[in-house]
Amino acid sequence: MKNLFALLAIYVALSMPVFSQVKVTGKVEDADLHSPLKGATVRITGSYTTAYSDAEGNFVLTNLKIAKQSLEISYIGYETKKLEFVAHKDTSVVLLLKKKTVLADEIEIKAVRAGENDPMTSDKMDSKQIAEKNMGQDITYIMGLTPSAVVTSDAGTGVGYTGIRIRGTDPTRINVTINGIPVNDAESQGTYWVDLPDIASLVDNMQIQRGVGTSTNGAGAFGASLNIQTSKLDTIPNATINSSYGSFNTLKNTVAFSTGLIDKKWAFDGRLSKITSDGFIDRAFSDLKSFYVSGGYYGKKSILKLVIFSGKERTYQAWYGVPEARLKNDTAGMNRLYVNGEISQSQYENMLTSNNRTFNIYTYSNQTDNYQQDYYQLLYSYEMNKNWNLNAALHFTKGEGYYEEYIENDQLKNYGLQNVVVNNDTITSTPLIRQLWLNNDFYGFTYSVNYDNHKKIQAVIGGAANSYLGAHYGMVTWAQYASNSFPDLKYYDDTARKNDVNIFCKLNYQLTKKVSLYGDMQYRTIYYSFLGFNEYLQNVQQNAKLNFLNPKAG
């Protein structure tokens, strides 16, 4: 019997597939000049195995199994090349890439990205990797699969309001750009992904820089920078329909099209999406809509492209979270919340009877957030010669919306309303419903001049000038005791303006094959005018002007 088991073990061992440490080394060069191409992407098709060519054009792929493999080699401004081979031993190849007949790559604002040899920790994800992980949730859930990232969801499903922290820092310290255009709110500094539903479906690639990162446009990047590039030119006409359904009635429908390259010069594409979900948390539904359209002219040395995308959301508020006392079924703790005035009587009663994990403190039927944000981008890229290229963009972002909430009892004077006298009784407070509105305009331009001699030197001079105008106001839409109120009464009205101008210069010098020197200098000036409280607690218009000099080296 022992011999039988021994023979069986030997048979199983011999029958198992054999894996070997097969290695592929190679060099990526310009097919005409035979000069090395630094930063070319070499990827095993259908896998996450990826390498990038160094300053000499060299790359290494290791730990490949013995099988038929397909290499995909891509580089900005060059035609993507595919090479099939059977990996049975260590192999060395020279890969020659031809320049594209048109400047078919999209306008990538290199100025805000970290290069392969820059002294920053970064990850890059392409459209294929993103599509494999896109389950209809916010793009934060895709970013959450990268190191040092933690993702949260108000509704508990990854649809609606979500947040991300990278290296422990909150969204106000994470700089976000789309095609090099700032996305962070100019005042709060945060990025609200709920206003960009299904953006993952139109992303060609994105780079996450952890830490301070390189100089960029927009908000300060103390925790991380996220640079998103939208869909690149698809030369072949196509159309897709995608639907998915999941837990808590989460449904995503997406329709997309591309005309391909028309007359070798023009291309148009678009996408329409709708996402709905009941949410895990009680009443925390989401109703999200978005669209994307673009049209571009593609010449031999230049691209001019107009991009328009928009997101509209209606979500039930769930941002209060589940109190620890409710999770632990701690009646005394819930009593303290009520006694300390942190929750109202009806919220306290709801807390005592609700489910632990799905508890939502809000019960008013229209306790919702309603917002729409529209993005307009005019992008231009010009290749002056093999070493120099210019990128520039004009942009305008329009945002408008409100959140509505029921207040069980609040002072009339807080809304500029007079006390009400009924039968000699003076009423000073009332239940009411209010809406808090935002109406924002953000516009400006960005630019960069890029130099790369494909040998030792890479340099960028870039910057931006942006202006923000934000109106904040609140309205009482209903009150049990309306006093001297009238329709559309604004009980506060504040307009803020912010101007932000910056210029930066970056240089990377390849000293040796393994050593590069990096320098980065940015000057930034900000003017901000807003309604706020002074030292005497008076609500007055205030102004602030700040200047920054931000050096980096590595």
Side-chain angles (χ1 to χ4, degrees), residues 291-359:
F291 76 85
Y292 169 90
V293 292
S294 71
Y297 169 82
Y298 296 81
K300 290 184 177 181
K301 289 184 173 291
S302 63
I303 301 174
L304 181 63
K305 185 174 182 180
L306 176 64
V307 175
I308 302 173
F309 54 101
S310 174
K312 184 175 183 179
E313 59 93 2
R314 183 171 183 265
T315 56
Y316 194 91
Q317 294 174 27
W319 51 53
Y320 187 86
V322 182
E324 184 179 14
R326 175 63 271 177
L327 286 175
K328 293 182 176 180
N329 201 23
D330 176 10
T331 304
M334 291 185 272
N335 288 338
R336 282 194 296 272
L337 289 173
Y338 174 57
V339 172
N340 293 337
E342 296 181 46
I343 57 175
S344 66
Q345 181 176 347
S346 64
Q347 291 172 336
Y348 169 66
E349 293 171 355
N350 175 40
M351 187 179 292
L352 290 175
T353 59
S354 67
N355 181 284
N356 278 5
R357 289 287 173 184
T358 65
F359 168 74

Side-chain angles (χ1 to χ4, degrees), residues 49 91 133 145 205 208 226-227 236 248 257 283 291 318 321 323 356 387 404 412 431 439 479 529 536 553:
T49 304
T91 306
K133 299 175 176 64
L145 299 174
N205 63 78
I208 301 173
L226 172 62
N227 316 123
I236 301 174
F248 311 106
F257 76 91
R283 297 173 294 282
F291 76 85
N356 278 5
N387 299 126
E404 182 170 305
L412 288 167
N439 191 337
S529 176
Y536 304 108

Side-chain angles (χ1 to χ4, degrees), residues 39 84 86 90 107 152 178 217 223 278 328 331 384 419 447 471:
E84 292 188 350
V86 177
D90 290 355
I107 304 166
T152 58
I178 297 179
N217 302 317
D278 291 344
K328 293 182 176 180
T331 304
M384 292 176 273
N419 293 336
Y447 64 92

Side-chain angles (χ1 to χ4, degrees), residues 249-304:
N249 290 321
T250 301
L251 177 65
K252 178 176 85 78
N253 293 307
T254 302
V255 179
F257 76 91
S258 176
T259 64
L261 199 56
I262 302 172
D263 195 27
K264 297 183 179 181
K265 293 182 179 179
W266 303 89
F268 304 89
D269 55 79
R271 190 220 67 198
L272 188 65
S273 295
K274 180 176 173 63
I275 303 174
T276 57
S277 177
D278 291 344
F280 170 74
I281 299 296
D282 296 341
R283 297 173 294 282
F285 69 83
S286 299
D287 186 0
L288 316 175
K289 305 178 184 71
S290 66
F291 76 85
Y292 169 90
V293 292
S294 71
Y297 169 82
Y298 296 81
K300 290 184 177 181
K301 289 184 173 291
S302 63
I303 301 174
L304 181 63

Side-chain angles (χ1 to χ4, degrees), residues 518-545:
Y518 176 83
D520 182 347
M521 179 67 76
Q522 181 191 52
Y523 171 73
R524 185 178 182 190
T525 180
I526 294 174
Y527 172 77
Y528 182 37
S529 176
F530 61 99
L531 189 65
F533 292 96
N534 63 13
E535 59 183 315
Y536 304 108
L537 299 182
Q538 298 169 325
N539 207 12
V540 296
Q541 194 72 21
Q542 299 187 47
N543 302 300
K545 187 171 183 179

Side-chain angles (χ1 to χ4, degrees), residues 164 169-177 182-193 216-224 440 442 468 472 498-500 524 526-528 546 548:
I164 185 170
T169 58
D170 64 66
T172 64
R173 293 166 175 83
I174 299 175
N175 174 279
V176 179
T177 58
V183 174
N184 298 67
D185 179 80
E187 287 191 283
S188 71
Q189 307 294 311
T191 299
Y192 302 97
W193 298 102
T216 185
N217 302 317
F222 299 103
N440 305 326
F442 179 64
Y468 169 87
H472 309 250
K498 185 176 182 180
N499 297 324
D500 185 342
R524 185 178 182 190
I526 294 174
Y527 172 77
Y528 182 37
L546 304 169
F548 302 92

